């Protein structure tokens, strides 16, 4: 029996939404303050995924200037109808106001349209449903019109939408308020029509430990909807905080071309206690139907690390090399910026074969667009390294590697000046307070930096080039500073390359010859 391993998308890929078009599957996830936004993936077998690009890859589509961490793009839904792909999502601003919009494309790899912003569309987590009679419905959540009975009590509502004019039309309908009164934060609704029933699948319990998936059904798209007496149909909240897969929820149902059903959901892996450095990841689990209700992973009822693979021809994609030598004309799809990139601060052409980062005044601790190019941490134990050429000339000019959770929780492993002399130093920023963990004089403009993490044990190394042995700068740094459980928010850990003049103007730059990332067993 062929099996597969969860998570199918390791690292910070939350809120999965997936569709089937013929024998092809497409999936998108949330991206919050990172640019480009909404990564989109393609699969033939539900298990092996290849990134096609990002849905929101132009500044005209996504302005993340000064956005607070964990705001920005929340919970996209992907749909397809009559040759057109639709991605609908919420942009959450710094005042927690929600702005819902959709974009379209005829090719999921892009280009996608500029946003169509929707008026009078309260709440978050919008979804589209195309009914058999040609009508299209918008579904989201909102504060109940009659008021909230308890904290975070939300209403799932539905309204017809005219996609030609980009407007909601007709009355709003409250269709469900979840399965349990304690199941707060009803959100993430998806509507399906299966066997004469309309089903609304939602998330409840918040996106933390009490996250859950619940479902209701109706013969009429407008309701009334009856909840499944077996709700929640999926949760891990009853398994305790020692269980290795936690906060399971925010799901999507997909039927294969052979009539089998599968559920995508988010969940987190814990490490070194109840710490979730990787954020919320995408998992897959089988579904069967009994009495016209879905049963998730029959006989077990939980998401597992290993399961029987879908009955589809296996389609593996070429793996990206562990080392990026920056020899292509474009950045690989794995790389992101922090907020919308402004200014010409990076280049692959100024020095061919290198990624050049100009020093910007912006710091990593600012709510700004620093000179940072990063990728997700995708494994609990990993090795990352980079080859950098940098010659700091003034106090405050720094460049190096960053391990990032947000502006107040991160490691900076950087080359800069100390008392006028170049030095390598490791700085931990925890709860907004900075502490220099280690420092060593360093008299070359060429340096290779490496970090190895085994669980929450992070060690930092350096050398001049491949002819030298690695020197340990510091071992045993506490990696929990990169967990959402300390830092708060909804994202996962990133790592990457960074250059800053820390408030001053500078014409200096750092050149990165390569960056490598690999899992450690």
């Amino acid at each position: 029996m062929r099996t597969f391993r969860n998570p199918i998308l390791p690292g910070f890929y939350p809120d999965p939404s997936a569709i089937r078009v013929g024998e092809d599957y497409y999936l998108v996830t949330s991206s919050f303050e990172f640019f480009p936004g909404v990564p989109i993936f393609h699969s033939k077998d539900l298990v092996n995924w290849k990134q096609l690009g990002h849905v929101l890859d132009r500044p005209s589509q996504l302005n993340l200037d000064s956005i607070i961490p964990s705001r920005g793009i929340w919970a996209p839904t992907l749909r397809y109808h009559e040759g057109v792909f639709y991605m609908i999502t919420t942009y959450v601003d710094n005042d927690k106001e929600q702005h819902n919009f959709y974009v379209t494309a005829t090719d999921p790899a892009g280009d996608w349209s500029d946003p169509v912003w929707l008026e009078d569309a309260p709440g978050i987590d919008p979804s589209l449903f195309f009914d058999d009679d040609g009508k299209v419905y918008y579904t989201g959540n909102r504060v109940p019109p009659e008021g909230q009975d308890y904290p975070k009590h939300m209403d799932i509502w539905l309204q017809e939408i005219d996609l030609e004019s980009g407007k909601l039309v007709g009355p709003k309908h409250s269709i469900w308020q979840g399965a349990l009164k304690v199941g707060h934060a009803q959100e993430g609704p998806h509507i399906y029509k299966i066997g004469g029933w309309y089903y609304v699948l939602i998330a409840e319990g918040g996106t933390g430990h009490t996250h859950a998936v619940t479902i209701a059904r109706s013969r009429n798209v407008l309701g009334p909807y009856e909840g499944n007496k077996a709700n929640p149909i999926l949760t891990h909240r009853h398994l305790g905080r020692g269980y290795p897969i936690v906060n399971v929820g925010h799901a999507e149902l997909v039927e294969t071309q052979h009539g089998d059903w599968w559920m995508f959901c988010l969940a987190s892996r814990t490490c070194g206690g109840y710490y979730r450095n990787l954020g919320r990841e995408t998992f897959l689990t089988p579904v069967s139907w009994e009495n016209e209700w879905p049963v998730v992973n029959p006989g077990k009822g939980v998401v597992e690390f290993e399961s029987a693979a879908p009955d589809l021809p296996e389609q593996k994609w070429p793996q990206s090399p562990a080392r990026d030598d920056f020899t292509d004309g474009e950045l690989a799809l794995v790389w992101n910026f922090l907020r919308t990139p402004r200014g010409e601060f990076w280049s692959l052409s100024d020095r061919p074969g290198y990624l050049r980062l100009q020093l910007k005044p912006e710091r990593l601790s600012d709510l700004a667009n620093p000179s940072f190019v990063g990728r997700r941490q995708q494994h609990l134990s990993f090795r990352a390294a980079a080859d950098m050429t940098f010659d700091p000339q003034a106090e405050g000019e720094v460049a190096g590697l960053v391990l990032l959770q947000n502006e107040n929780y991160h490691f900076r492993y950087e080359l800069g000046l100390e008392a006028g002399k170049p030095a390598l130093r490791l700085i931990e920023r925890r709860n907004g307070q900075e502490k220099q963990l280690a420092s060593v004089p360093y008299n070359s403009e060429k340096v290779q930096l490496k970090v190895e993490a085994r669980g929450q044990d992070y060690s930092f190394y350096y050398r001049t080039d491949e002819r030298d042995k690695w020197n340990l700068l510091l071992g045993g740094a506490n990696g929990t500073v990169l967990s959402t459980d300390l830092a708060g928010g909804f994202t996962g850990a990133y790592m990457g390359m960074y250059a800053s003049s820390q408030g001053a103007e500078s014409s200096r730059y750092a050149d990165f010859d390569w960056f490598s990332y690999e899992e450690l067993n």
Side-chain angles (χ1 to χ4, degrees):
M1 179 183 66
R2 186 162 54 90
T3 63
F4 74 94
R5 292 283 299 175
N6 269 316
I8 55 166
L9 285 181
F12 161 54
Y13 292 109
D15 308 320
S17 176
I19 57 171
R20 177 175 63 86
V21 180
E23 296 183 355
D24 294 281
Y25 299 86
Y26 302 97
L27 184 149
V28 294
T29 69
S30 296
S31 52
F32 295 89
E33 70 265 31
F34 292 96
F35 186 97
V38 189
I40 182 165
F41 299 87
H42 173 224
S43 177
K44 287 283 193 178
D45 60 11
L46 296 178
V47 170
N48 297 288
W49 294 86
K50 175 180 69 175
Q51 188 171 354
L52 297 177
H54 293 83
V55 174
L56 306 174
D57 60 3
R58 304 188 301 277
S60 64
Q61 297 171 303
L62 183 57
N63 180 358
L64 295 169
D65 292 351
S66 302
I67 200 73
I68 292 172
S70 291
R71 306 246 172 108
I73 295 298
W74 289 16
T77 294
L78 185 64
R79 292 294 180 259
Y80 175 82
H81 184 69
E82 293 183 350
V84 179
F85 292 85
Y86 298 81
M87 190 284 298
I88 188 166
T89 189
T90 306
Y91 172 84
V92 181
D93 65 26
N94 284 350
D95 296 322
K96 289 190 177 180
E97 295 293 323
Q98 299 107 31
H99 311 271
N100 291 296
F101 70 90
Y102 65 91
V103 293
T104 62
T106 54
D107 182 345
D111 290 333
W112 290 75
S113 70
D114 280 342
V116 178
W117 297 93
L118 296 170
E119 298 178 1
D120 191 25
I124 62 172
D125 299 2
S127 184
L128 295 176
F129 170 68
F130 295 84
D131 208 350
D132 299 337
D133 60 3
K135 291 184 177 181
V136 187
Y137 295 92
Y138 173 106
T139 313
N141 83 342
R142 63 178 175 177
V143 172
E146 67 275 14
Q148 291 179 310
D149 293 340
Y150 53 92
K152 298 185 180 179
H153 169 209
M154 302 299 287
D155 174 60
I156 303 300
W157 65 280
L158 176 145
Q159 186 175 9
E160 192 175 348
I161 184 172
D162 181 352
L163 294 174
E164 291 297 320
S165 64
K167 297 185 183 299
L168 296 168
V169 295
K172 289 178 169 59
H173 302 269
S174 294
I175 61 172
W176 202 37
Q177 293 188 2
L180 297 169
K181 287 296 183 184
V182 296
H184 62 282
Q186 295 82 3
E187 60 194 19
H190 296 312
I191 291 182
Y192 313 91
K193 190 174 185 182
I194 304 166
W197 289 100
Y198 294 91
Y199 294 87
V200 56
L201 183 79
I202 73 167
E204 291 190 55
T207 198
H209 186 73
T210 57
H211 212 22
V213 181
T214 60
I215 194 167
R217 70 185 183 189
S218 173
R219 292 294 188 184
N220 189 313
V221 68
L222 303 180
Y225 282 80
E226 60 163 330
N228 185 354
K229 291 182 173 60
N231 277 324
I233 59 171
L234 179 62
T235 187
H236 281 199
R237 62 192 181 198
H238 60 298
L239 301 177
R241 292 176 178 264
Y243 200 75
I245 303 174
V246 297
N247 56 259
V248 174
H250 200 108
E252 175 86 279
L253 287 168
V254 170
E255 183 184 15
T256 73
Q257 58 267 38
H258 304 312
D260 298 324
W261 287 85
W262 289 83
M263 177 179 283
F264 296 90
C265 63
L266 67 78
S268 295
R269 291 177 283 170
T270 58
C271 180
Y274 201 88
Y275 296 104
R276 297 165 294 172
N277 296 38
L278 303 186
R280 300 166 303 156
E281 309 173 276
T282 291
F283 288 69
L284 179 69
T285 192
V287 171
S288 67
W289 290 82
E290 295 180 4
N291 299 320
E292 298 178 295
W293 288 110
V295 177
V296 181
N297 199 2
K300 299 176 181 177
V302 297
V303 176
E304 299 176 285
F305 279 123
E306 187 167 7
S307 295
D311 183 20
L312 295 168
E314 186 176 29
Q315 173 65 68
K316 292 186 176 181
W317 308 103
Q319 293 296 303
S320 298
R323 186 165 121 169
D324 190 336
D325 288 301
F326 303 118
T327 53
D328 293 336
E330 298 179 345
L331 281 174
L333 295 174
V334 71
W335 297 109
N336 292 143
F337 302 101
L338 194 53
R339 306 180 182 88
T340 305
R342 303 296 184 186
E344 301 297 322
F345 66 88
W346 67 277
S347 172
L348 293 170
S349 59
D350 285 355
R351 185 180 180 185
Y354 289 77
L355 170 64
R356 174 165 290 179
L357 290 184
Q358 302 286 339
L359 274 63
K360 292 179 71 175
E362 289 80 6
R363 301 172 175 88
L364 202 65
S365 55
D366 297 334
L367 296 180
N369 168 232
S371 186
F372 167 79
V373 177
R375 54 155 297 152
R376 292 159 175 84
Q377 177 184 335
Q378 295 186 280
H379 305 92
L380 299 177
S381 296
F382 69 91
R383 177 188 295 119
D387 181 295
M388 179 179 75
T389 303
F390 176 54
D391 183 19
Q393 293 294 301
E395 295 285 344
E397 293 183 347
V398 296
L401 291 184
V402 167
L403 302 170
L404 173 74
Q405 179 56 238
N406 60 34
E407 86 282 15
N408 285 323
Y409 289 82
H410 58 250
F411 290 112
R412 299 197 309 274
Y413 188 15
E414 59 192 28
L415 176 62
L417 297 182
E418 286 187 356
K421 302 288 188 180
L424 285 173
R425 56 187 173 232
L426 177 64
I427 296 170
E428 177 196 77
R429 186 171 172 89
R430 182 184 292 260
N431 197 25
Q433 301 298 311
E434 296 200 352
K435 179 181 179 182
Q436 184 166 295
L437 300 182
S439 176
V440 64
Y442 192 81
N443 292 314
S444 173
E445 64 181 36
K446 273 191 65 64
V447 64
Q448 292 183 356
L449 304 173
K450 181 176 73 167
V451 56
E452 290 189 354
R454 298 185 183 275
Q456 300 293 7
D457 190 326
Y458 282 59
S459 297
F460 296 83
Y461 302 83
Y462 67 95
R463 66 184 182 186
T464 302
D465 57 37
E466 284 86 351
R467 294 171 295 181
D468 301 329
K469 67 178 182 64
W470 287 105
N471 302 291
L472 177 66
L473 178 69
L474 180 72
N478 185 354
T480 61
V481 70
L482 301 174
S483 75
T484 58
D485 307 278
L486 294 184
F490 304 130
T491 61
Y494 262 69
M495 66 188 68
M497 297 150 288
Y498 169 67
S500 176
S501 49
Q502 302 193 91
E505 294 297 329
S506 174
S507 60
R508 309 298 297 173
Y509 53 81
D511 285 340
F512 293 88
D513 188 12
W514 50 260
F515 183 100
S516 65
Y517 174 86
E518 57 189 322
E519 180 182 10
L520 292 178
N521 292 324

